Amino acid sequence: MISYTTPVISKFGTLKNCICSLFIATALVTAGEASASTKKQVKKAAHSAAPVAKKDESHFQQWKEVSSFIDSMVSKHGFTEAELKATFKQVKYIETARQLMRPAPPGKPKNWKAYRARFVEPYRIEAGVAFWDKYADALAKAEREYGVPPEIIVGLIGVETIFGKQTGGFRVMDVLTTLAFDYPDTPTRDARMQFFRGELENMLLMARESSLDPFVFKGSYAGAIGWPQFMPGSIRKYAVDFDGDGKINLTDSPVDAIGSVAHYLSMHGWKRALPVAFPATLVVAEKSEQLNTALGKGLLASYQLQDLKAIATTASVEAPTTIQYGLVDLQNGNDATEYWLATENFYAITLYNRSYFYAMSVYDLGRVIAAARQK
């Protein structure tokens, strides 16, 4: 059995304003959904504030919902009631994590250019070139095994954690428990609590499988861990021992992170040698029914290029005519919206984080780093 090694906290900052993870498919504040100013405030809070615990709500082992969760873990996975009660007695309620999960207040319109500038910037580009040079062999191996090119892996890790420099300082058990049983009052509260209870279950299983104290795992305010910001469930399902040392370590092994990102994308629809996206020009008027229908397809490439010609076209001669596309809009505040024809590989990135802004930032950062490396 592959085991997980004890994570080590990054020396850079105490908290991580994770844009992923998820997320993560949807575990975090959705990338690109808030204004740039709001996101900047969240980022500042996540990096500068210490985790805040509400003392009057910190005794999780006394909560009825937690007792039910413990009973479930005992019956499903063979934990003992006593050990889990002792574990939850050590958990701290993290108000900071709860507050950072609140939806951003209404503000400025979405702005792709402002969002992109936060990630495709000189520091990440320089760090990305160095990372690529140092781990070129592992990146080449990941492409051979999983079909994911280096620029996508490099772009994703660069967006997530600036190549391991911002991996988070929360105890994962604390934030997962807080969010699993006291998620903020939002329209999706019940679904989000169910998600985090599932991740809490995976966290306890991962710790047991590794014979590790669950409190040694550190991560983002949503519980994402390591260089690629995987949630515990994703670690158990998609992380790989890519450096061959018999252990999975997404915090201290960039090689494991590289292989795990490639494996994750390959399992979520990435196709070898398929392009990602092509800039497009609208043929129809904005807000037309045809346009709204095409944009309403969601995270799906369902059009042939010929079918889209009545809605949007691309000047790129490199766009294959034999594959499927979706239409993506990148809003620019008061400026003109950008439109792109996205392939299945673009949508595979959105399954790492369900945001067009996020996926395009990964794609752009990787391309810019590749170009800088050639120079």
Side-chain angles (χ1 to χ4, degrees):
M1 176 184 293
I2 296 294
S3 63
Y4 310 93
T5 58
T6 305
V8 177
I9 307 172
S10 168
K11 65 180 179 180
F12 293 88
T14 56
L15 310 182
K16 163 70 172 63
N17 180 24
C18 178
I19 303 299
C20 72
S21 310
L22 341 193
F23 99 143
I24 108 163
T26 55
L28 305 180
V29 177
T30 304
E33 293 302 309
S35 67
S37 60
T38 300
K39 285 295 183 181
K40 190 176 294 183
Q41 292 170 3
V42 171
K43 181 178 180 181
K44 182 177 180 181
H47 283 287
S48 61
V52 176
K54 293 177 68 174
K55 295 180 181 178
D56 59 328
E57 297 179 345
S58 62
H59 302 295
F60 280 107
Q61 80 279 8
Q62 299 175 6
W63 290 28
K64 179 180 178 180
E65 296 87 350
V66 175
S67 294
S68 296
F69 177 81
I70 289 174
D71 291 343
S72 174
M73 294 296 289
V74 170
S75 62
K76 284 175 62 178
H77 302 296
F79 285 89
T80 66
E81 182 179 1
E83 68 176 314
L84 288 181
K85 283 187 173 181
T87 295
F88 282 103
K89 189 174 183 179
Q90 301 176 58
V91 174
K92 296 180 180 179
Y93 185 101
I94 305 299
E95 177 65 17
T96 306
R98 189 172 181 273
Q99 292 302 322
L100 288 171
M101 281 294 175
R102 292 186 179 279
K108 297 179 181 179
K110 301 175 187 178
N111 191 315
W112 157 240
K113 290 179 181 177
Y115 182 96
R116 180 186 186 277
R118 291 174 47 215
F119 297 102
V120 186
E121 47 84 24
Y123 182 78
R124 284 181 210 253
I125 296 167
E126 182 179 354
V129 170
F131 176 84
W132 193 331
D133 286 345
K134 185 172 183 178
Y135 298 107
D137 290 345
L139 289 163
K141 177 185 174 186
E143 183 172 24
R144 288 194 305 272
E145 293 192 11
Y146 300 113
V148 183
E151 60 267 25
I152 298 299
I153 301 170
V154 171
L156 192 148
I157 295 175
V159 167
E160 286 293 342
T161 60
I162 317 181
F163 306 101
K165 291 179 174 60
Q166 294 180 352
T167 57
F170 287 98
R171 293 197 312 182
V172 173
M173 276 295 298
D174 291 341
V175 294
L176 289 181
T177 304
T178 299
L179 298 172
F181 299 104
D182 197 22
Y183 196 86
D185 188 11
T186 68
T188 59
R189 183 175 191 261
D190 290 344
R192 302 314 301 140
M193 286 199 297
Q194 283 301 117
F195 171 82
F196 283 106
R197 288 181 194 185
E199 292 302 331
L200 180 60
E201 178 180 359
N202 277 298
M203 177 72 259
L204 290 166
L205 289 169
M206 187 170 73
R208 184 174 70 176
E209 290 162 358
S210 310
S211 300
L212 292 173
D213 182 344
F215 292 100
V216 302
F217 291 88
K218 303 294 177 72
S220 76
Y221 65 81
I225 297 168
W227 287 60
Q229 293 289 272
F230 272 26
M231 294 297 282
S234 290
I235 293 176
R236 294 186 68 230
K237 193 170 184 179
Y238 303 112
V240 296
D241 171 26
F242 210 54
D243 60 13
D245 67 353
K247 299 176 182 179
I248 294 172
N249 186 345
L250 299 186
T251 301
D252 293 325
S253 174
V255 174
D256 282 359
I258 287 168
S260 297
V261 166
H263 183 232
Y264 183 99
L265 291 174
S266 73
M267 295 297 290
H268 285 81
W270 186 274
K271 300 293 192 300
R272 186 183 298 270
L274 193 72
V276 175
F278 299 95
T281 302
L282 286 187
V283 175
V284 297
E286 290 194 324
K287 299 184 180 179
S288 68
E289 184 177 348
Q290 284 178 295
L291 177 60
N292 290 337
T293 298
L295 293 174
K297 294 293 184 179
L299 309 180
L300 183 67
S302 57
Y303 288 99
Q304 293 291 328
L305 198 59
Q306 182 67 32
D307 299 331
L308 277 170
K309 282 188 176 180
I311 303 170
T313 62
T314 179
S316 176
V317 297
E318 298 178 357
T321 59
T322 57
I323 66 173
Q324 292 186 306
Y325 297 88
L327 186 62
V328 169
D329 60 332
L330 302 178
Q331 299 173 37
N332 272 315
N334 295 322
D335 295 333
T337 297
E338 287 185 27
Y339 293 93
W340 289 73
L341 301 185
T343 74
E344 290 178 271
N345 280 352
F346 180 89
Y347 293 111
I349 302 173
T350 68
L351 296 180
Y352 203 99
N353 180 305
R354 293 178 183 269
S355 163
Y356 291 163
F357 281 16
Y358 174 88
M360 191 59 72
S361 291
V362 167
Y363 178 51
D364 274 357
L365 179 60
R367 289 193 300 167
V368 172
I369 291 171
R373 189 167 178 262
Q374 291 301 316
K375 294 179 181 178

